[in-house]
Amino acid sequence: MPTALITGATAGIGAAFARRLAADGFTLVLVARDERRLGEAAAQLKLRYGVAVEVLPADLATDDGLALVEARCRAGVDLLVNNAGFAQRHDFLDTPVEDELRMLKVHCEAVLRLTLAALPGMRKRGKGAVVNVGSVAGFFTRGTYSASKAWVANFSESAAAEISEPGVKVMALCPGFVRTEFHQRASIDMSGMPGFMWLDADKLVAEALRDLALGKWVSVPSLRYKAVVAVGRFVPRRLVAEVSARIGRR
């Protein structure tokens, strides 16, 4: 059976990937910081889908945690989903630099290192895929989060362009707002967000895997967010930044 390694696998988009890939018969390697939640998630997936599940407790904001997951990627995975991530509670100027560096470690360095750890084996076998979870925010200007997700998209496209093996794929997944615990964990009040702007995690994953099969380098699930990104390309970046800053202060 093919093996999929998913970071940030116990909640939200990562958990949705785990459910879908387990249903498709993948052996799973689940990575997250919380060992208890990892164990619970693994037990549920084994019971429901009858697949093998390996748990790998690791904090990707640390060198030790990154090295542990790198080693597992080098040992061989058929699909890597770099999903781990978080949001800051405050604006850029009010956030401690240590927290910003931790975000860059998880959103950028971890994605870089794990992708580079997994790709050689995939290229040698002539098949495999990497999905790096970015965000629609990466197409706009809003603090370190947006900047880091812009890097994810650019890096993924660059890596995809360099791969010559047709059976090996790299794709950036750039969703909009998804109904998960993501914003709650960061204590961000999203009560004013209209209901039509929210995406379902399971449907998002289904669309992402379709785009991956089609060989897309960037996946923006749902027509509404495709439209948001398309319109955003024609709006002056300074105006976008000013509007984003005003919204963020509300």
Side-chain angles (χ1 to χ4, degrees), residues 6 16 33 62 118 163 187 219-220 232-233:
I6 308 164
R33 292 181 298 167
T62 68
I163 294 172
S187 299
S219 171
V220 180
R233 295 184 190 277

Side-chain angles (χ1 to χ4, degrees), residues 101-232:
L101 291 173
R102 181 170 171 266
M103 174 173 281
L104 293 176
K105 186 93 170 177
V106 175
H107 289 188
C108 300
E109 183 178 342
V111 170
L112 170 71
R113 290 172 58 174
L114 299 187
T115 299
L116 290 176
L119 279 178
M122 294 178 181
R123 298 184 70 187
K124 185 176 181 179
R125 294 188 299 274
K127 61 179 181 179
V130 177
V131 176
N132 295 323
V133 179
S135 171
V136 161
F139 298 101
F140 300 91
T141 48
R142 180 62 184 145
T144 305
Y145 182 84
S146 292
S148 68
K149 293 304 186 179
W151 182 90
V152 169
N154 192 305
F155 167 73
S156 300
E157 289 184 276
S158 300
E162 290 191 27
I163 294 172
S164 58
E165 295 81 5
V168 180
K169 302 172 182 177
V170 178
M171 184 185 79
L173 169 60
C174 300
F177 295 111
V178 186
R179 292 197 182 280
T180 68
E181 61 186 55
F182 179 82
H183 297 96
Q184 181 182 353
R185 282 186 168 188
S187 299
I188 299 174
D189 182 10
M190 299 299 295
S191 58
M193 183 59 59
F196 70 88
M197 294 300 291
W198 291 98
L199 302 177
D200 175 80
D202 293 312
K203 293 179 181 177
L204 181 152
V205 167
E207 187 166 345
L209 291 175
R210 284 197 298 271
D211 285 346
L212 182 66
L214 291 171
K216 292 187 179 182
W217 291 358
V218 177
S219 171
V220 180
S222 87
L223 289 174
R224 77 204 77 160
Y225 280 108
K226 286 180 173 65
V228 167
V229 171
V231 170

Side-chain angles (χ1 to χ4, degrees), residues 236-249:
R237 294 185 66 81
R238 180 166 179 169
L239 176 60
V240 172
E242 290 174 350
V243 171
S244 296
R246 291 194 191 102
I247 292 173
R249 286 193 292 266

